[in-house]
Amino acid sequence: MVTLSRLISGLCFMTLFGCMPSGDDPSLPVDRAAVYGPTIIFDPLAKPTPELPFPNDLILTSNSETASGASWNVSTRKETQHESHLRGLLNGVDGFGPYAPITVSFDGPIDLNTVNRSSIVVVNIEPGHPREGEIAPLDLGMGYFPRAGQRHPYHGHDPYAEVDSLIFPDTNRVDIDGDGEAELVGHYEVASHTLIIRPIVPLAQNARHAVLLTTELFGQSSEGTVGQIRSPFDYKSHYAQMPFIEKALALTGLAPEALAFGWTYKTANIVGPFQRLRDGLYGRGALAKLNDAVSSEITEIRDTSITHDADGVEFPVDPRDHRYILQAEFLSQILAILGNIQDDDNFMMDFKYVDYLVFGSWKTPNIRMNERRELSLNLATGQGDIGIEDVPFMLAVPKTTDRFRPPFPVMLYFHGTGTSRFEPIAIADAMARQGIAVLAFDQVGHGPLIQDIPRLLAENPDTADLLPTLIPVIAALLVPDQVDEFYDLDVLEALEKLNEVCLFAELAVHGRAEDYNQDGQLDIAEAFFHGDPFRLCASFTQDILDMMQMVKVIRGLSQDKVPSEPLANPKDASFEELKPYLFSGDFNADGILDVGGPNVALSLAGTSLGGIHSVLGAAMEPEIRTVTPIVAGAGLADIMTRSGLDFILEPIFEEVLGNLVVGCERDGRLYITQGNEANRCRRPKASAMADVTAPAVGTPVLLTNKVNGMTNRSEVNEDGGFALTIDSDRGDELEIMIGPEAAPLLKTSFPAHYDGSGYTRNTAEFRRAITIQQHAFDLCDPSNFAPHLFKDPLPSHDPTNVLFMNAIGDDTVPVASSITLAIAAGVFGSNEDTWGPVTRWLIEKGVLLNELYDVHDILGNNPDEQPPYGLFTPIATATGVSSIRLADVNGKHEWIAGYQKDDFEFGRYSQNQIAIYHACGGRIILDGPTECIGSEDCALLDNLESIDGCDHVGIRR
């Protein structure tokens, strides 16, 4: 979000001479006799940001290094290196976001009562496109994109701490209904007279669109005249775009005299780079070198060092057990201890249907080789660097039964933010009950399960007090013959010794977390979430590439590669004896392929961040036919600006709002800190760079970047502190001066901790940056992939059935973003005539505002004032059904791991519903009998073949 700042300064305009009309005079002159209100602002020389209707083809130019041959054309000159760099990356983007906002500003206020789908039209005008002539359904204050989010102070002395929006100030109000009381609005920015137009469904990709503003749109000019809006030119479009606007009028049937102004923009080809990546993995196309970079094999199966997990005393005997597999019953005890350490009941679980777990790695092409972890490979031309990276995985293998035998089908799983490949153990048993293995890997910047234990202890003193008692318990479980060696060790020494135990290292050492900012700590998801949208999208792209490689590895397993005879007494076998079994996919060395191969079904699921990944992965990987995104949402900028997920958002906004210098007063001293390092001034002494006797209210404060010369001023506020921000690169020398220049109370310098863009939240400039931000995020936004699940599958990809699972009241991934994602996928219907009534009902009931309205009422206990909508009717696809389910779990984002309410196991119910959906190949969404599905003792779960439409062949291709 940071760095797409002040985006278009120094814009070079494309004249499109080849598209200009010739000979005749322009055909769309402005009616000079009409009464006009506000004029559209079109000022490419405005400072600090050029102002024109956006997005706009006028800032595109030819570029031979993009697949379409065009790209953005913005100036890369900026005060900071990181912003110049990001502008350069923008100039490699081949179009605009299909899901991103459209904005247009005026020189006077707009009458919002005239803002509707008659006065604003967006139409696809791409010749020969399957959606040519399609008019986009627009949200113009209808409630699909709520303006409000969490009240969130992002730092000490945040002037907008009590405002429930990160984008709009509390003064962004308009009296729409004429009752004399102004209402808060989110589709119009009062300060800049800017309309914010949102497509509810993503526009077609790689297609030119026209935005038509009609004479029905009224307002007041800067001179006070009330009337229709006016073009900034003597014609109703920019001269270069006039032929396209004429075509748009013909397609929509809009008369030329009804047009006030129109402009065009072409959307980017979002899925194309991912298609080329997959082709490259299989040796085709411009990226064919990906196929040569790595082998498609399991490259490591790691020793657990556990030899007593099937001892017949504490744990059931398994004659096929050995050090390279871990019995599930043993894992349940490990998890119970971890639950105590992290105070998380979600770790408490038994495994009745999982047989054992396997830990290992495969190699993947690393396409994030540069220092900033952005893409190092041009996905259009194939130019650039590729590395090799190990990807740690965890596999949960079901027990062999009369109903289910290996090789087992596989659910691939993407984990959520800040967790690891261990996350899917929460649903592994439900899947194993249906004969489905679960395979997960550590995504970019994530893993191991327990990161940086010393830091965890420092931040959680209660856990630190508990750990000396728990360490002998852990040691007794992992290395019972060595437990005495741990009693005389302090905590850090004991942890170091535990790291030598392979299974403990699997939990606490192996992973992909990075110390990207070189502060000596592996921060949670540090290498994934970032204010740089190109880096974040590179992380998404890498993860999808890793998943595609994983599919290739799993498909490459086969019975033919397994040794023909089982290994006798595997417990006592050496690694060399076990190796041919392990690396061929026969992990218990019984001579039978355990998972995967060419003939079993592969499906996909993921939670939160992983749910977003699962939409991208299912749309792009042809081997996936069934997917369940759990608490996923669309509109990454919307999620970031409305989410309550503090530990992820605050680091991002440190960059967006930084470099931020905060003065915190405590006990008569003013402590100078950076960003939110003082935790909203709660711990100023520990993070202070300098301090001074507390100055009087009104004392001037001057912040200077000594490298680029920028300055910013403030003064000590009534609470005795201040907050100032300034554009800077990490390491720039910043100087703070408090007091008069002639005799300052404090004058000190220090290095900038962040690449910061220096925005102030809830301002027009910040809103413009977030708008542009979404255009960059669209490169990896799930909204643009969801339509390709079953509604419009890509070539060589059969339809993928999808069951969205979301939590009512969720404020981590706000519910509105989950509903708009479901609309994009088509699970409410293919057109607004079908999805409109359902989603408008949800808006009316406050569901998109995170109200706790029980939509489905599966328990039949709704209060009278909350009549349910009922269960959404599944949409029939070519191969099954798709839909969405909203769990009444009081906004519990992680309910899927286990959540009880009203004496009902909502977590178990949802787990079983997902397992049934995948076992039946996406052909059945079973909602009842409710009590049975939510119970461990439900006999139906062991007889899915009895359900009409589910003969369990979904587990085979």
Side-chain angles (χ1 to χ4, degrees):
M1 206 160 284
V2 26
T3 62
L4 292 190
S5 57
R6 306 174 176 99
L7 147 100
I8 329 175
S9 74
L11 252 161
C12 296
F13 284 97
M14 169 179 163
T15 57
L16 299 176
F17 286 113
C19 300
M20 283 189 177
S22 59
D24 298 334
D25 290 335
S27 59
L28 295 173
V30 166
D31 181 0
R32 299 178 184 275
V35 177
Y36 289 104
T39 298
I40 291 167
I41 294 177
F42 195 98
D43 185 0
L45 302 180
K47 300 291 185 179
T49 306
E51 298 183 28
L52 73 168
F54 185 82
N56 203 309
D57 280 338
L58 295 173
I59 67 166
L60 293 181
T61 190
S62 60
N63 187 336
S64 62
E65 295 189 358
T66 67
S68 69
S71 71
W72 291 39
N73 182 25
V74 299
S75 170
T76 58
R77 297 186 62 182
K78 198 65 188 72
E79 291 83 355
T80 57
Q81 293 178 9
H82 70 275
E83 292 211 8
S84 295
H85 171 76
L86 268 270
R87 288 164 178 260
L89 293 180
L90 272 177
N91 287 340
V93 178
D94 68 350
F96 301 99
Y99 193 61
I102 305 164
T103 61
V104 55
S105 300
F106 302 83
D107 68 358
I110 292 296
D111 179 357
L112 292 189
N113 286 301
T114 67
V115 174
N116 53 53
R117 295 187 187 176
S118 177
S119 60
I120 302 174
V121 178
V122 176
V123 58
N124 182 334
I125 60 171
E126 186 66 28
H129 193 280
R131 293 166 64 180
E132 182 183 7
E134 179 181 86
I135 295 175
L138 304 175
D139 178 272
L140 302 168
M142 297 172 63
Y144 288 95
F145 304 95
R147 55 161 295 283
Q150 293 291 304
R151 286 182 172 85
H152 192 116
Y154 281 90
H155 53 82
H157 301 286
D158 184 343
Y160 298 98
E162 297 303 315
V163 179
D164 66 353
S165 171
L166 189 64
I167 305 297
F168 300 105
D170 197 52
T171 54
N172 201 66
R173 297 171 179 266
V174 176
D175 181 10
I176 300 176
D177 55 15
D179 65 354
E181 184 174 340
E183 296 85 30
L184 290 164
V185 294
H187 64 299
Y188 179 68
E189 186 175 68
V190 174
S192 62
H193 311 307
T194 299
L195 277 175
I196 302 165
I197 303 161
R198 298 293 301 268
I200 302 173
V201 177
L203 304 179
Q205 298 177 29
N206 198 28
R208 180 169 280 114
H209 292 76
V211 184
L212 308 177
L213 308 182
T214 77
T215 55
E216 296 180 21
L217 189 58
F218 269 59
Q220 180 176 303
S221 72
S222 56
E223 290 80 25
T225 305
V226 175
Q228 67 186 48
I229 62 166
R230 191 191 193 283
S231 166
F233 313 119
D234 289 335
Y235 305 98
K236 295 183 178 183
S237 75
H238 188 281
Y239 193 63
Q241 295 181 348
M242 198 171 295
F244 302 115
I245 298 303
E246 290 173 335
K247 177 176 181 178
L249 294 176
L251 287 170
T252 59
L254 190 67
E257 56 270 22
L259 178 70
F261 185 72
W263 77 94
T264 68
Y265 71 96
K266 190 160 188 174
T267 53
N269 184 355
I270 305 300
V271 299
F274 291 84
Q275 290 175 299
R276 291 190 288 276
L277 276 174
R278 190 179 187 280
D279 284 345
L281 272 183
Y282 290 86
R284 301 187 295 266
L287 306 182
K289 62 182 180 180
L290 292 172
N291 181 58
D292 302 326
V294 295
S295 63
S296 300
E297 300 171 342
I298 297 172
T299 54
E300 182 181 14
I301 300 296
R302 286 190 287 277
D303 186 354
T304 69
S305 72
I306 304 299
T307 59
H308 56 284
D309 51 340
D311 58 8
V313 180
E314 293 188 55
F315 305 101
V317 172
D318 184 343
R320 307 306 307 172
D321 183 54
H322 55 79
R323 295 169 61 100
Y324 292 87
I325 62 177
L326 184 74
Q327 299 299 315
E329 293 86 355
F330 188 87
L331 179 65
S332 65
Q333 292 201 21
I334 293 289
L335 294 175
I337 296 172
L338 294 179
N340 285 324
I341 293 176
Q342 299 198 358
D343 192 25
D344 189 345
D345 290 340
N346 290 336
F347 283 91
M348 309 300 178
M349 59 188 69
D350 294 322
F351 296 98
K352 296 182 178 180
Y353 303 97
V354 173
D355 192 354
Y356 57 84
L357 297 103
V358 182
F359 306 101
S361 298
W362 69 83
K363 292 190 181 298
T364 193
N366 183 350
I367 58 174
R368 300 167 61 248
M369 293 292 291
N370 58 32
E371 183 179 356
R372 296 175 64 95
R373 300 296 189 271
E374 296 155 344
L375 290 178
S376 57
L377 181 68
N378 185 314
L379 302 187
T381 66
Q383 297 298 309
D385 296 329
I386 298 175
I388 299 174
E389 185 175 7
D390 288 320
V391 180
F393 72 81
M394 182 202 74
L395 172 67
V397 179
K399 291 179 179 178
T400 298
T401 67
D402 291 339
R403 298 176 67 223
F404 305 119
R405 295 182 176 277
F408 297 108
V410 182
M411 171 197 273
L412 312 178
Y413 183 93
F414 284 109
H415 63 72
T417 302
T419 66
S420 74
R421 62 191 180 278
F422 279 85
E423 181 183 284
I425 56 177
I427 64 170
D429 214 48
M431 300 306 299
R433 187 171 187 173
Q434 303 307 328
I436 300 174
V438 176
L439 176 63
F441 65 94
D442 283 339
Q443 292 147 220
V444 165
H446 288 77
L449 176 62
I450 312 172
Q451 288 186 21
D452 202 340
I453 295 179
R455 179 184 179 188
L456 178 68
L457 298 178
E459 295 177 351
N460 299 274
D462 292 341
T463 297
D465 293 339
L466 178 64
L467 204 55
T469 304
L470 287 175
I471 282 178
V473 177
I474 298 172
L477 183 60
L478 296 180
V479 283
D481 55 339
Q482 301 175 40
V483 67
D484 291 345
E485 300 175 17
F486 287 83
Y487 282 110
D488 295 328
L489 303 179
D490 64 31
V491 169
L492 293 182
E493 290 174 333
L495 290 171
E496 189 67 27
K497 190 173 182 65
L498 281 173
N499 283 343
E500 298 172 5
V501 180
C502 296
L503 179 57
F504 192 83
E506 201 66 43
L507 297 166
V509 177
H510 296 296
R512 297 174 79 182
E514 296 182 50
D515 179 16
Y516 176 78
N517 63 8
Q518 299 179 357
D519 63 357
Q521 298 176 332
L522 298 177
D523 292 332
I524 296 175
E526 180 180 54
F528 195 98
F529 281 102
H530 202 269
D532 172 353
F534 294 99
R535 181 181 168 200
L536 184 134
C537 280
S539 296
F540 270 108
T541 305
Q542 181 69 59
D543 284 340
I544 299 306
L545 177 62
D546 297 344
M547 185 218 73
M548 291 173 175
Q549 175 70 357
M550 179 169 67
V551 168
K552 194 176 178 185
V553 170
I554 293 300
R555 278 285 182 243
L557 300 175
S558 73
Q559 183 65 44
D560 293 341
K561 298 177 182 179
V562 175
S564 58
E565 297 294 332
L567 181 64
N569 196 18
K571 182 175 182 179
D572 297 327
S574 68
F575 174 73
E576 290 303 318
E577 291 173 310
L578 285 164
K579 184 176 178 179
Y581 295 89
L582 298 177
F583 287 85
S584 64
D586 175 16
F587 304 110
N588 64 356
D590 64 354
I592 300 172
L593 176 67
D594 290 341
V595 299
N599 299 317
V600 300
L602 302 182
S603 63
L604 188 59
T607 297
S608 194
L609 171 66
I612 293 173
H613 277 86
S614 71
V615 175
L616 276 65
M620 301 313 305
E621 175 49 66
E623 296 294 322
I624 302 299
R625 310 291 172 79
T626 306
V627 62
T628 298
I630 305 165
V631 286
L636 294 175
D638 292 316
I639 294 172
M640 289 183 180
T641 55
R642 295 191 63 236
S643 174
L645 195 61
D646 296 356
F647 80 95
I648 290 299
L649 298 183
E650 287 184 2
I652 292 175
F653 286 108
E654 280 175 349
E655 300 159 357
V656 179
L657 307 177
N659 265 277
L660 185 74
V661 178
V662 181
C664 303
E665 189 276 330
R666 284 292 182 278
D667 303 323
R669 304 290 295 176
L670 184 67
Y671 296 92
I672 311 304
T673 67
Q674 268 200 73
N676 192 32
E677 293 172 3
N679 192 14
R680 305 190 193 101
C681 287
R682 294 168 184 162
R683 299 192 301 265
K685 295 182 182 180
S687 57
M689 300 173 295
D691 61 278
V692 66
T693 300
V697 174
T699 299
V701 183
L702 174 66
L703 178 62
T704 303
N705 186 321
K706 305 292 283 186
V707 176
N708 61 31
M710 299 185 73
T711 62
N712 199 3
R713 298 176 183 272
S714 185
E715 59 184 34
V716 175
N717 60 33
E718 293 182 355
D719 295 322
F722 67 86
L724 268 176
T725 187
I726 198 165
D727 287 29
S728 50
D729 290 309
R730 186 171 180 233
D732 280 1
E733 182 185 358
L734 305 183
E735 179 185 85
I736 190 78
M737 184 171 68
I738 300 175
E741 293 186 34
L745 303 175
L746 175 70
K747 186 176 182 179
T748 186
S749 297
F750 46 89
H753 289 183
Y754 315 102
D755 288 336
S757 291
Y759 288 110
T760 298
R761 58 174 286 190
N762 301 87
T763 62
E765 185 183 25
F766 181 68
R767 189 272 310 158
R768 282 193 290 268
I770 297 299
T771 298
I772 295 163
Q773 177 78 6
Q774 184 58 47
H775 281 273
F777 273 143
D778 260 49
L779 299 173
C780 57
D781 198 289
S783 61
N784 296 313
F785 296 81
H788 299 297
L789 292 173
F790 65 85
K791 190 166 62 171
D792 181 24
L794 296 170
S796 302
H797 195 324
D798 289 340
T800 299
N801 300 311
V802 56
L803 174 59
F804 291 101
M805 305 287 281
N806 292 87
I808 295 168
D810 189 355
D811 67 2
T812 298
V813 176
V815 177
S817 67
S818 68
I819 298 302
T820 51
L821 179 59
I823 294 172
V827 300
F828 291 116
S830 59
N831 55 64
E832 193 170 8
D833 289 342
T834 51
W835 59 256
V838 182
T839 55
R840 286 194 291 271
W841 184 91
L842 294 171
I843 291 172
E844 177 190 341
K845 301 304 181 184
V847 176
L848 274 68
L849 292 173
N850 291 4
E851 296 290 339
L852 299 179
Y853 193 108
D854 185 2
V855 175
H856 300 319
D857 191 23
I858 63 171
L859 300 182
N861 60 358
N862 266 13
D864 293 339
E865 63 273 16
Q866 283 198 354
Y869 183 90
L871 295 164
F872 301 129
T873 302
I875 297 295
T877 73
T879 57
V881 294
S882 293
S883 195
I884 180 174
R885 293 294 179 261
L886 302 174
D888 180 33
V889 290
N890 290 340
K892 179 71 170 176
H893 184 67
E894 308 88 353
W895 99 96
I896 201 78
Y899 180 81
Q900 185 180 65
K901 175 186 173 185
D902 297 332
D903 297 322
F904 183 73
E905 295 283 353
F906 277 91
R908 189 185 304 279
Y909 175 85
S910 297
Q911 291 172 21
N912 286 332
Q913 194 170 45
I914 293 170
I916 294 167
Y917 186 66
H918 284 249
C920 297
R923 295 189 300 279
I924 296 293
I925 299 174
L926 192 64
D927 297 293
T930 303
E931 294 293 339
C932 183
I933 297 174
S935 168
E936 174 67 24
D937 301 323
C938 181
L940 180 63
L941 297 174
D942 298 316
N943 188 25
L944 296 187
E945 295 86 346
S946 67
I947 302 172
D948 186 31
C950 179
D951 55 9
H952 235 62
V953 298
I955 66 174
R956 295 283 181 260
R957 290 183 80 185

